[in-house]
Amino acid sequence: MEIKVASVDSVIIYFDNNISKEISNKVKASYAYLKSLNNEAFIDIIPSYSSILITYELLKYDFESIKKYLEEELKNVKVDDDTNSKLVEIDVYYGEEVGFDLQRVASINKLTIEEVINLHSSKVYDVYTIGFLPGFAYLGVLDEKIATKRLETPRKKIPKGSVSIADTQTAVYPKDSPGGWNIIGKTTFEFFDKNLEALSQIDINTKIKFNQISKEEFLKQGGII
Amino acid sequence: MKGFELIKAGIYTTIQDKGRFSFMHLGVTNSGFMDEYAANACNKLLDNSLDTNLLEILFPSLQIKVTQSSTIAITGAKCEFFINGEQKNIWETHFVRVGDEIKVSRILEGQRVYLGVKGGFQIEKEFGSYATSQKEGFGGLNGQKLVNNDILPYEENSTFIKRRWKEKYIPQYKKELTLRVILSYQCDTFEQDQIDKFFNSEYTITPDFNSMACKLDGEAIECTISNLISEAIAFGSIQIPKDGKPIILLKERQTIGGYPKIGSVLSLDCFKLAQMKPGNKIRFEKIEVNEAREKVLKFIEAFS
């Protein structure tokens, strides 16, 4: 672990320099612990794949003192496996009308569309981090057999709810947005909802499983083709 | 509901405050006043707390009908400002009565104008803040910039205190600016000659400059790492994308990103940057984190 200056009033804690489930669990446990301190001098705590950034009150700490404080506190973090996480199941319509890249992803990986869908919907994914857009959760890791590079030229508009993959990650676009991920399906599940007190049903401790549904079911749920 | 009736909302007028905090882990940006010096000064003149909401006006042509008496103040960019057709000074308080007409017509120097009213506008906070964030549709009125005929209510206030910001504390907005940089984040992965180049070059602000970020043009900086595991981005961070042209990330930045960062611009200098325009020149100089902290503490103290 290394704590470095990020800006005049923020530090970044690096747990390692690679992406793995083990590091991610360390980040999650540390994030939960830091939140539980209820330290009023913490303005924002932002976890990512292998790091956590903390913005803090300058009146309370300088870089040396917060570094020391964090080093001491983080010794208390116990990393356990995923026992505390909740599973959220998300219905997806994997149809070519909404999964613009489904056929291409299948061809590139020498699979049938049905195999792509099965591989995508049979795994339980961890949330590695949330960012880029409000509610954009980076989920991993995909079965290597369907890992697909992102598009050379990003699309100007990807519809809200589009289920996508890029390299070994998968995600759902929480709103209409430009983007370069491969689109393989669509969901009506809201990843970001202003009407919720917590803003989202998803956080970094959530686990996600995608369920294949029919076009009829998707339309019944209010899905838009 | 009485207060301001926006006859003309201007091209880009938003309601801002100090920003929205503690939702960044869900990808929600901070937003908030781009120039906290001018915004704080406006609130100080009005005897408001520093997180009182204000109008942040970019490209004016703003015309307001007053339907409730109160005290107002304008700070920030030097602009043409009229009450009932009579030109008035900015950086001081003015009393406005029912039926008065306020106009902010042209920016002469700087970029962002702050217009505040005593006690602030009585609108709803969204997730802890009034700050408008168009990306999320949060804050302000309906999460969007203001439009013609919007109504901004505030409480009536009949006591008027004339206040003027001291002349020597009114900033001059020039076309060149040196930004103080704390070497941080991935600075160790930049070769010394690239860091030297960064500090010895002059950069130009491109039109790609908004509340999210300011893209610069000039000497390209090389980094030994091409991409990076995505991580959170602090206010003022300078990222070096593949083309080597620095991008300074500002209030409405995206919360995480995967470009290497050479350091971060001192917050106080980001506020000055907020008053610059495309075509203006930027240079960088180094500042140590502890010295930077002292400067910010002085700034906080000056407004307390």
Side-chain angles (χ1 to χ4, degrees):
Chain A
M1 188 186 78
E2 194 186 2
I3 299 178
K4 291 173 81 171
V5 173
S7 75
V8 66
D9 61 355
S10 55
V11 288
I12 187 158
I13 310 164
Y14 291 111
F15 293 88
D16 209 326
N17 194 23
N18 60 60
I19 297 177
S20 74
K21 187 156 176 162
E22 188 199 342
I23 302 304
S24 181
N25 283 341
K26 221 183 249 185
V27 169
K28 286 169 188 177
S30 304
Y31 175 69
Y33 181 79
L34 291 169
K35 291 286 279 185
S36 75
L37 293 173
N38 284 320
N39 187 331
E40 284 183 4
F42 291 168
I43 299 167
D44 260 310
I45 313 175
I46 320 164
S48 189
Y49 292 95
S50 53
S51 63
I52 297 177
L53 183 121
I54 300 178
T55 306
Y56 57 94
E57 290 286 354
L58 283 180
L59 290 166
K60 180 91 185 280
Y61 295 108
D62 60 18
F63 172 64
E64 286 306 324
S65 64
I66 194 155
K67 184 169 179 252
K68 215 168 139 194
Y69 168 78
L70 290 171
E71 279 166 349
E72 278 307 309
E73 285 295 345
L74 289 171
K75 281 181 191 161
N76 302 322
V77 175
K78 284 198 187 68
V79 185
D80 40 28
D81 6 340
D82 316 315
T83 40
N84 293 326
S85 56
K86 58 170 180 180
L87 179 73
V88 171
E89 300 204 27
I90 291 169
D91 291 343
V92 179
Y93 170 50
Y94 297 93
E96 286 186 74
E97 318 100 295
V98 290
F100 315 126
D101 302 306
L102 198 52
Q103 179 59 56
R104 208 171 41 80
V105 168
S107 307
I108 289 172
N109 293 295
K110 300 188 175 62
L111 298 166
T112 63
I113 285 181
E114 206 48 43
E115 284 168 327
V116 171
I117 296 169
N118 285 337
L119 287 167
H120 188 259
S121 59
S122 58
K123 260 193 119 169
V124 172
Y125 299 103
D126 294 304
V127 177
Y128 275 82
T129 187
I130 298 174
F132 167 61
L133 285 174
F136 191 95
Y138 292 79
L139 312 174
V141 287
L142 278 185
D143 192 307
E144 285 283 351
K145 288 184 205 131
I146 52 170
T148 310
K149 274 195 170 27
R150 57 196 77 198
L151 305 177
E152 292 268 320
T153 314
R155 287 191 172 91
K156 288 212 169 88
K157 189 181 160 189
I158 290 177
K160 175 183 173 177
S162 292
V163 178
S164 60
I165 60 177
D167 302 320
T168 55
Q169 297 194 81
T170 180
V172 176
Y173 281 84
K175 61 184 287 190
D176 290 355
S177 140
W181 290 36
N182 303 283
I183 309 304
I184 59 166
K186 204 173 181 189
T187 179
T188 58
F189 186 89
E190 295 277 349
F191 273 75
F192 188 76
D193 186 349
K194 274 173 65 168
N195 299 317
L196 297 176
E197 198 182 335
L199 280 176
S200 180
Q201 296 182 56
I202 307 293
D203 61 33
I204 56 165
N205 293 311
T206 316
K207 287 190 177 302
I208 288 178
K209 169 136 188 346
F210 294 106
N211 291 329
Q212 182 180 5
I213 55 165
S214 66
K215 184 174 178 174
E216 291 69 35
E217 180 59 29
F218 177 65
L219 293 171
K220 211 168 84 187
Q221 291 177 2
I224 298 162
I225 302 281
Chain B
M1 291 209 300
K2 288 181 178 172
F4 283 167
E5 226 179 276
L6 298 189
I7 308 297
K8 280 191 196 156
I11 295 167
Y12 197 83
T13 305
T14 58
I15 293 175
Q16 295 296 343
D17 64 5
K18 285 182 86 94
R20 183 170 288 104
F21 299 97
S22 79
F23 291 101
M24 280 192 120
H25 65 291
L26 298 174
V28 176
T29 190
N30 288 149
S31 304
F33 302 132
M34 284 285 281
D35 178 357
E36 285 189 28
Y37 179 84
N40 286 357
C42 190
N43 274 324
K44 271 306 242 197
L45 284 168
L46 294 164
D47 234 343
N48 290 342
S49 70
L50 296 182
D51 57 354
T52 305
N53 57 39
L54 301 173
L55 299 185
E56 186 174 274
I57 304 159
L58 199 63
F59 321 111
S61 259
L62 188 71
Q63 195 181 336
I64 295 167
K65 196 173 139 195
V66 176
T67 60
Q68 182 103 289
S69 299
S70 189
T71 301
I72 63 162
I74 284 187
T75 61
K78 193 171 168 189
C79 60
E80 288 180 343
F81 159 49
F82 306 88
I83 298 176
N84 299 329
E86 194 182 321
Q87 189 145 7
K88 300 284 183 186
N89 290 328
I90 65 170
W91 297 90
E92 67 180 54
T93 56
H94 301 275
F95 190 70
V96 289
R97 292 176 183 80
V98 178
D100 282 356
E101 189 190 77
I102 302 169
K103 253 190 190 173
V104 181
S105 61
R106 211 152 60 94
I107 289 188
L108 306 167
E109 196 183 280
Q111 189 77 323
R112 287 177 166 82
V113 174
Y114 292 88
L115 168 56
V117 64
K118 182 145 185 68
F121 301 107
Q122 290 178 312
I123 56 169
E124 292 289 313
K125 276 190 180 181
E126 218 168 5
F127 296 94
S129 167
Y130 298 107
T132 309
S133 170
Q134 280 202 309
K135 203 162 57 165
E136 283 121 16
F138 273 171
L141 292 183
N142 313 313
Q144 298 300 320
K145 66 174 186 172
L146 297 174
V147 295
N148 294 351
N149 303 320
D150 273 346
I151 308 271
L152 298 173
Y154 51 79
E155 237 170 68
E156 184 179 15
N157 203 296
S158 53
T159 42
F160 176 65
I161 302 166
K162 187 77 189 170
R163 282 213 185 86
R164 184 178 293 183
W165 205 249
K166 277 197 182 129
E167 195 64 36
K168 66 172 176 176
Y169 296 124
I170 297 177
Q172 304 277 311
Y173 303 120
K174 301 207 173 83
K175 290 181 174 148
E176 289 171 16
L177 180 64
T178 298
L179 302 173
R180 290 163 291 184
V181 172
I182 300 154
L183 284 172
S184 51
Y185 275 120
Q186 287 78 40
C187 64
D188 299 344
T189 65
F190 290 83
E191 303 279 357
Q192 191 56 47
D193 65 327
Q194 295 302 308
I195 294 178
D196 293 344
K197 198 203 283 182
F198 174 76
F199 284 115
N200 292 325
S201 305
E202 186 179 72
Y203 288 94
T204 306
I205 297 177
T206 67
D208 222 345
F209 177 21
N210 53 33
S211 50
M212 281 177 75
C214 175
K215 170 105 183 157
L216 301 175
D217 196 12
E219 286 282 346
I221 304 300
E222 278 171 44
C223 181
T224 51
I225 43 172
S226 58
N227 57 353
L228 167 92
I229 298 171
S230 283
E231 60 184 30
I233 303 169
F235 178 52
S237 297
I238 307 161
Q239 72 181 20
I240 307 293
K242 286 189 184 124
D243 69 5
K245 310 289 174 75
I247 299 174
I248 305 167
L249 294 152
L250 299 167
K251 290 286 176 84
E252 218 174 310
R253 67 198 174 281
Q254 59 186 59
T255 55
I256 63 170
Y259 289 115
K261 297 172 282 303
I262 196 167
S264 57
V265 174
L266 177 59
S267 53
L268 306 181
D269 292 351
C270 292
F271 306 153
K272 294 179 187 165
L273 176 63
Q275 296 294 358
M276 305 292 281
K277 292 178 202 170
N280 289 175
K281 304 291 181 193
I282 296 293
R283 298 189 76 89
F284 296 104
E285 70 179 30
K286 201 178 146 188
I287 186 168
E288 296 297 332
V289 66
N290 285 329
E291 193 191 345
R293 176 174 180 266
E294 292 306 317
K295 307 266 181 213
V296 176
L297 289 178
K298 264 191 195 150
F299 177 87
I300 294 170
E301 199 188 340
F303 285 105
S304 62

